[in-house]
Amino acid sequence: MFSLSLIQHDLPMPPHLLSRPLLDAIKAELERLFLDKVIANLGLCVSVYDIRSVEGGSIHAGEGCSIYRVSFRLLMFKPFNGEVLVGRISGYDDKGLQVSLDFFSDICIPGHLMQYGTVRGPDGRWMLKTDDNDELYLDLDDEIRFLVSSTKYMPIPINQKEGDPPFAPMQIVGSIKGDGLGLLAWWSADEEGEEAAEQ
């Protein structure tokens, strides 16, 4: 789910930060630039892990800031395809479910990647119809275990129409089609039964 990415960057250092120790000032500026931002093909930056090297400090003509070439590592959130995650249902529509991991919310589970027999109920909620004719609803805030099907990095839109959803630079498509996937409540009874049988 998390990985370290080594990055080299020419970092302009604003003059008001130069009164601080150099490494503290560089880390503060890197956090301002990268924290909670998505870098295409690398993922969502969670933190600046460490600073490997700092070179330079030259001041270019006509500029009031010194520029350092910094090599550093970022802790990135980038789940791999096939990874199993647990989140909470944050919304639903005719296309499928929206899921949140608290720190990341651009996760969707489309209808065709849900368990066989999952349909929309009369009130718009998704539900699983079992072989016993039970209707198991997928409600808001329910904990759900899903498999990462793909991660998409969207191009920045040039023109965004009014009424369009907010731009999401990174989107995860999940699947709950398979054993052990779906609401945690669906499987908790089975897991408790297996543990009791083992004891």
Side-chain angles (χ1 to χ4, degrees), residues 132-167:
D132 302 329
N133 289 324
D134 289 332
E135 295 179 348
L136 306 176
Y137 280 91
L138 294 99
D139 287 319
L140 293 176
D141 290 326
D142 281 348
E143 285 190 305
I144 188 167
R145 183 184 294 127
F146 63 95
L147 182 115
V148 175
S149 178
S150 65
T151 303
K152 302 175 182 176
Y153 296 94
M154 313 305 289
I156 297 173
I158 298 171
N159 295 317
Q160 195 159 4
K161 296 174 185 173
E162 230 178 282
D164 282 354
F167 171 65

Side-chain angles (χ1 to χ4, degrees), residues 187-199:
W187 304 99
S188 59
D190 291 342
E191 289 168 0
E192 287 168 8
E194 287 173 10
E195 286 176 9
E198 286 174 4
Q199 293 173 356

